[in-house]
Amino acid sequence: MRSIILILFILLLNACAELPKPPAAVPVYKITNVNVIDVLQRELKTGQTVTVSQGRIIAITDTDDTAHFEGLVIDGTNQYLIPGLWDSHAVVNRYATDIDYPLYIANGVTSVRSILNCPNEHKISIYACMETKQRWNQEVRSGKLVGPLIIGSGSFPVNGTAKIHPDLPAFYKAQTIKEAQEIIDYYAAFDNERKPYSVKVYNWLEPEVYHELVKQAKLKGFKISGHKPRKLTLEESIAAGQDLFAHARFFLYECSTLSAELIQGMHWQLPLPELYRLLLQTYDDEICAKKYEIVAKSRVAVSPTLLTRRNDYYSLAGKREWVAGIDYAHFLFEREWQEDIDKMAAMLQGPDDIAVFRAFYEKAAYTIGKAYQNGALILAGTDTYDTYVVPGFSIHEELYELYKAGIDPFGVLQAATINNAIYFGMDSEVGSITQGKVADMVLLNANPLADIRNSADINMVFHGQYVYDSSQIDNLKQRAKTVAESHAFTLKMLWSFLKNPKGF
């Protein structure tokens, strides 16, 4: 027995091995003769020299002025420089620095929006807590940790149901106006290091509770983002103050000739294939056109996460091998995915139902293309660790899905760069390759404007002063894969689970 305990202890120590650090900071560097993709002006500027000092872009010229330059010179001939990518819908778990962070950087993702927080800062959870995420940001900035910066974190979801996470306070049921007030007061009392940027809302909030929640959130300085509650129309949610809507499927609920209340009732009564079939049958283009106009005029943001519904179809149709980066997923996440897949498969009544899942995701994607063409602010996001969603790799798949939906390559790149900066009011600092901005950039081997899938053909990643070349990128990927396959990392996860099995 002692031997077994000793072996487990050694494995646990290995699981806690030092995390990868960035390469040595490069105070000054130039990228010469590179093709710069200007997402602000929607222009391709050829033969540019980009100079970076202390992590910021200090000059962009069309001349090679490296004759007396003493810093690092990178030849960008026949290559394409884009801004660092964002994942606007990332679930950041407590193990993100082991696997997710290296994969984000290796795939050119330099910023993420963390959509939710742990349920209780004093209990162990699969989800990272605010204080931890703030510490990780400090370590990324100081060069102690490889990873993206977290820009904006949501609260734990507020859903309006009697069943809540066991580590949450009782008022988190959010079934009364008083409970809505208590939730906002609860977060307002947090110190700045633990205070979320936004309150994340979900499907089942009653209208009066939702309105009170939004009202109190605005008074206390919180944004409201997440799902559109099923009993409210899009117009009502926007008028209340919600400024970000997740998942493209909400348009299919909004664009049905059926009432919101009737659809909500059917959601509980019908298996998903039947509900999806009904929404497709009652979809109305004219209704949707009005919704696109409302979204565009209000300048609210939409994070479509097209992969979530695409991957429902992939999983049911047995197309796992089509998913980029799938071999980097830890088997415990694969097990969780399989449980969700089995639940969906149990709803199928015949092979035609699988086709319904495909038609549903394609129609939802179509609405996003139309929303973009009508002026909607689209934010590219993936919903990390939803079925078959892999950190870093999946953002490139999401970009391709946005392109297939009808968004031009410039628009797709904007959705993964400058649009996120605009949403957060940070567009003077990040989001484009512009003099004075932070040097978050990705050097590509091929032109993404010719084929958006070239966004994944990465030669180098620049994260301020930290320059990752192709060999370092390969090393980050290999390390992440090794950790994901290790017994030690599995033990690390299980050890955390045993500390709080009901709330983990």
Side-chain angles (χ1 to χ4, degrees):
M1 177 62 72
R2 289 182 179 178
S3 297
I4 293 174
I5 293 173
L6 179 61
I7 290 170
L8 290 176
F9 182 71
I10 292 171
L11 285 172
L12 183 59
L13 286 179
N14 289 335
C16 300
E18 187 176 1
L19 296 168
K21 293 181 179 179
V26 183
V28 184
Y29 58 90
K30 285 182 184 285
I31 309 166
T32 63
N33 198 36
V34 70
N35 301 304
V36 173
I37 295 179
D38 185 341
V39 294
L40 283 174
Q41 301 300 321
R42 295 174 63 93
E43 291 179 359
L44 175 61
K45 298 176 179 178
T46 60
Q48 303 292 294
T49 294
V50 179
T51 304
V52 175
S53 177
Q54 304 301 320
R56 286 190 179 268
I57 301 167
I58 62 168
I60 303 173
T61 65
D62 57 6
T63 57
D64 183 350
D65 53 356
T66 59
H68 303 290
F69 183 69
E70 296 181 356
L72 174 67
V73 177
I74 299 160
D75 183 5
T77 302
N78 297 324
Q79 295 174 323
Y80 296 81
L81 194 64
I82 64 172
L85 302 173
W86 293 55
D87 188 333
S88 74
H89 201 100
V91 175
V92 179
N93 65 53
R94 68 182 289 110
Y95 312 106
T97 52
D98 288 280
I99 297 175
D100 305 7
Y101 268 35
L103 290 182
Y104 278 129
I105 292 299
N107 282 280
V109 177
T110 54
S111 301
V112 299
R113 182 176 70 92
S114 173
I115 62 167
L116 57 83
N117 198 43
C118 67
N120 189 316
E121 298 276 341
H122 305 293
K123 300 287 185 71
I124 288 181
S125 167
I126 185 65
Y127 305 113
C129 295
M130 283 294 301
E131 194 169 351
T132 298
K133 289 184 280 192
Q134 293 286 354
R135 175 169 52 81
W136 289 346
N137 271 356
Q138 293 170 1
E139 292 174 353
V140 167
R141 288 190 177 100
S142 64
K144 295 179 181 178
L145 180 66
V146 169
L149 287 174
I150 297 172
I151 311 296
S153 294
S155 69
F156 196 81
V158 183
N159 202 12
T161 57
K163 185 178 179 181
I164 59 172
H165 191 283
D167 291 340
L168 289 168
F171 54 75
Y172 221 89
K173 295 188 296 294
Q175 293 186 311
T176 67
I177 287 175
K178 183 174 184 295
E179 287 176 344
Q181 295 168 343
E182 289 178 309
I183 289 171
I184 301 304
D185 288 341
Y186 171 69
Y187 285 121
F190 283 13
D191 58 51
N192 288 334
E193 285 193 345
R194 297 188 300 124
K195 194 171 290 185
Y197 175 83
S198 61
V199 176
K200 182 175 176 64
V201 294
Y202 252 43
N203 300 331
W204 310 119
L205 285 164
E206 291 294 327
E208 63 274 11
V209 177
Y210 170 84
H211 282 293
E212 184 65 23
L213 191 76
V214 177
K215 173 186 171 184
Q216 294 298 325
K218 288 195 293 186
L219 288 173
K220 299 294 173 63
F222 296 109
K223 297 269 192 177
I224 292 287
S225 64
H227 295 200
K228 182 191 71 64
R230 293 282 163 78
K231 282 190 178 181
L232 284 97
T233 66
L234 178 64
E235 295 91 324
E236 290 169 334
S237 297
I238 292 175
Q242 186 168 339
D243 73 346
L244 191 154
F245 295 86
H247 311 307
R249 65 174 180 254
F250 85 84
F251 274 123
L252 294 186
Y253 287 87
E254 282 292 302
C255 300
S256 170
T257 55
L258 302 174
S259 70
E261 191 167 351
L262 183 60
I263 291 173
Q264 185 191 28
M266 290 178 175
H267 191 283
W268 291 110
Q269 298 166 11
L270 299 178
L272 278 181
E274 291 185 41
L275 177 64
Y276 287 177
R277 189 177 282 111
L278 181 64
L279 291 173
L280 290 167
Q281 290 170 348
T282 59
Y283 170 85
D284 188 295
D285 257 325
E286 291 186 7
I287 295 175
C288 242
K290 295 176 182 176
K291 304 293 182 178
Y292 306 145
E293 184 179 351
I294 291 164
V295 167
K297 283 186 176 179
S298 305
R299 296 307 290 164
V300 296
V302 177
S303 185
T305 66
L306 298 181
L307 291 187
T308 54
R309 302 288 74 78
R310 186 209 70 173
N311 290 350
D312 286 349
Y313 163 66
Y314 273 17
S315 63
L316 293 171
K319 300 186 183 300
R320 178 187 179 278
E321 71 278 5
W322 289 14
V323 178
I326 195 71
D327 293 336
Y328 291 80
H330 190 273
F331 86 93
L332 289 178
F333 290 113
E334 288 259 20
R335 285 188 60 182
E336 186 176 348
W337 291 344
Q338 192 57 51
E339 289 177 7
D340 291 339
I341 294 167
D342 291 343
K343 289 177 183 177
M344 285 193 296
M347 301 179 189
L348 301 178
Q349 298 179 350
D352 289 347
D353 282 353
I354 296 178
V356 171
F357 277 87
R358 177 173 184 171
F360 188 82
Y361 108 71
E362 289 177 342
K363 195 66 171 182
Y366 165 84
T367 66
I368 293 302
K370 289 295 184 182
Y372 166 78
Q373 292 158 19
N374 280 270
L377 184 70
I378 307 297
L379 309 183
T382 63
D383 209 351
T384 327
Y385 287 119
D386 197 85
T387 303
Y388 292 170
V389 177
V390 184
F393 289 97
S394 288
I395 192 64
H396 301 286
E397 292 199 295
E398 182 72 15
L399 298 190
Y400 184 49
E401 292 298 324
L402 291 172
Y403 171 74
K404 291 197 300 179
I407 302 180
D408 64 272
F410 268 117
V412 171
L413 291 175
Q414 287 173 330
T417 58
I418 191 62
N419 288 1
N420 298 272
I422 289 171
Y423 172 74
F424 283 108
M426 299 175 62
D427 46 314
S428 64
E429 281 286 299
V430 291
S432 65
I433 300 171
T434 304
Q435 184 175 335
K437 290 192 178 183
V438 173
D440 286 349
M441 304 177 292
V442 184
L443 187 64
L444 304 177
N445 291 314
N447 187 359
L449 300 177
D451 185 341
I452 197 63
R453 288 172 291 188
N454 288 333
S455 69
D457 190 1
I458 295 173
N459 183 284
M460 302 182 80
V461 175
F462 307 91
H463 199 12
Q465 298 186 71
Y466 305 105
V467 178
Y468 298 84
D469 62 24
S470 56
S471 64
Q472 289 163 334
I473 288 170
D474 289 342
N475 288 340
L476 288 177
K477 289 180 180 178
Q478 185 55 53
R479 185 192 183 281
K481 191 173 184 180
T482 300
V483 172
E485 293 172 347
S486 72
H487 297 302
F489 184 71
T490 302
L491 181 61
K492 183 178 180 178
M493 294 180 69
L494 293 175
W495 182 256
S496 296
F497 168 78
L498 291 173
K499 291 180 179 179
N500 186 19
K502 290 185 178 180
F504 188 73

